[in-house]
Amino acid sequence: MKIGELTKRSGLSAHTLRYYERIGLLPVADRSASGHRDYDAAILVWIEFLDRMKTTGMPIREMLRYAALRETGDATIDARRELLETHRDKVRAHVAELQACLAVLDTKIAGYAGASQVETTHDAEHPLRFRIGKAR
Amino acid sequence: MKIGELTKRSGLSAHTLRYYERIGLLPVADRSASGHRDYDAAILVWIEFLDRMKTTGMPIREMLRYAALRETGDATIDARRELLETHRDKVRAHVAELQACLAVLDTKIAGYAGASQVETTHDAEHPLRFRIGKAR
DNA sequence: CCTTGACTTAGAGTACACTCCAACCCCTAG
DNA sequence: CTAGGGGTTGGAGTGTACTCTAAGTCAAGG
């Protein structure tokens, strides 16, 4: 598979795929006779995993650490599990935080819905005098 | 309240507070005779709201838009509600995505827990040959 | 009086994760 | 054989949100 097809299948741009390879997040791709990258379909599984970790806010540094552990072999299984568990805990905490924020948002939206019907509600919010004009 | 106390109460650094004021996310603070910022406690409510929006991934640009609407007055209530509703929908979608990722993480972790007991499991993952050495 | 520590400013620097550019090469269809 | 559409590279540029620096001012305790 050439890089163009992998962009379609993975959703990552060719720029990003080359960038990931350069920093070591993707293995060095095989090359065709003409020097073009030639990917194995198995890479999609790894990219999907990276995508999920990215979605959940894992920094590239940590994905690199995971990739390095994986490369080292079976001896690192415990370390990998720990890494993922730590990350999972962070994600869970973040989800909880987001849900708390959602509750506040819902309340605020409900308040606006009421205020819009009543036409004018003066004490719903603190008056704040903002600077007039653009940021410097 | 001086900026030092507000840093403690808000959790934002003095740098950040001044930065937020400069870009218009916080109202221009009153000044003491010596020119130091003198905050009203009411600002904490606004900062808390900003924090929540930040936590849920709202970009500063959009918070500025919200602040501008708020400043304009009651006529913008519908627009503000819409802004928050749009944001809420995004956050909900993101939470759903995170939960899907969490499910995958759980599965993967469970797999590792098994593999660690069995000592050696060879076909659990695709072998990927990573580049040896550092990124350029 | 002097030191300490909190405050002030404009502007520069940082971290992260891309994203793009210039200038090139290579294959295939018309 | 040439035009188009892929691919290649190193390195520079972008956007977001801070974060820090330099060079001061100011107020209060010992």
Side-chain angles (χ1 to χ4, degrees):
Chain A
M1 192 191 332
K2 278 187 288 179
I3 202 168
E5 204 192 331
L6 189 56
T7 61
K8 276 166 218 150
R9 288 221 226 167
S10 69
L12 297 178
S13 73
H15 286 312
T16 302
L17 288 169
R18 286 192 281 253
Y19 166 69
Y20 278 4
E21 178 178 322
R22 188 153 50 79
I23 65 172
L25 208 50
L26 290 178
V28 178
D30 293 338
R31 300 300 178 114
S32 70
S34 54
H36 293 189
R37 285 175 183 77
D38 182 20
Y39 293 97
D40 185 311
I43 200 72
L44 280 163
V45 178
W46 176 242
I47 290 174
E48 197 184 335
F49 174 71
L50 290 179
D51 245 11
R52 273 185 214 285
M53 294 307 105
K54 188 173 64 173
T55 297
T56 52
M58 183 183 280
I60 282 184
R61 246 192 330 286
E62 208 169 330
M63 299 191 219
L64 283 174
R65 209 165 80 72
Y66 183 84
L69 288 173
R70 203 173 178 236
E71 193 184 5
T72 304
D74 287 350
T76 66
I77 282 182
D78 281 0
R80 279 183 262 170
R81 185 182 37 72
E82 269 179 50
L83 191 157
L84 294 187
E85 281 174 354
T86 303
H87 183 62
R88 177 183 59 183
D89 293 349
K90 278 187 203 144
V91 177
R92 279 182 181 161
H94 188 220
V95 167
E97 212 175 22
L98 290 182
Q99 276 164 341
C101 291
L102 274 176
V104 172
L105 260 175
D106 284 339
T107 306
K108 207 163 174 69
I109 288 166
Y112 273 134
S116 136
Q117 281 168 8
V118 178
E119 217 169 83
T120 318
T121 311
H122 281 300
D123 53 353
E125 292 185 336
H126 297 264
L128 293 173
R129 294 129 283 127
F130 276 84
R131 129 209 295 280
I132 299 123
K134 279 255 140 206
R136 253 175 294 168
Chain B
M1 191 191 335
K2 278 186 291 180
I3 201 167
E5 204 192 331
L6 189 56
T7 60
K8 278 166 216 149
R9 288 222 227 165
S10 69
L12 297 178
S13 73
H15 285 313
T16 303
L17 288 169
R18 286 192 280 256
Y19 166 69
Y20 278 4
E21 178 178 323
R22 188 153 50 80
I23 64 173
L25 208 49
L26 291 177
V28 178
D30 294 339
R31 298 302 177 114
S32 69
S34 54
H36 293 189
R37 285 173 182 77
D38 182 20
Y39 293 98
D40 186 309
I43 199 73
L44 280 164
V45 178
W46 176 240
I47 289 175
E48 198 182 334
F49 173 71
L50 291 179
D51 245 9
R52 273 185 214 285
M53 293 307 105
K54 188 174 64 171
T55 296
T56 52
M58 183 184 279
I60 283 184
R61 244 192 333 284
E62 208 168 331
M63 301 191 215
L64 283 173
R65 209 164 81 73
Y66 183 85
L69 288 172
R70 204 170 180 244
E71 192 183 6
T72 305
D74 287 349
T76 66
I77 281 182
D78 281 1
R80 279 183 262 168
R81 185 181 38 71
E82 267 179 51
L83 191 157
L84 294 186
E85 279 173 354
T86 303
H87 183 60
R88 178 183 58 183
D89 293 349
K90 277 186 204 146
V91 177
R92 278 181 181 162
H94 188 219
V95 167
E97 212 176 20
L98 290 183
Q99 276 165 342
C101 290
L102 274 177
V104 172
L105 260 176
D106 283 339
T107 306
K108 208 163 173 67
I109 288 167
Y112 272 135
S116 139
Q117 281 167 7
V118 179
E119 217 171 83
T120 317
T121 310
H122 282 301
D123 54 351
E125 292 183 336
H126 296 265
L128 293 172
R129 292 128 287 126
F130 277 85
R131 134 209 292 282
I132 299 120
K134 282 252 142 209
R136 251 174 295 171

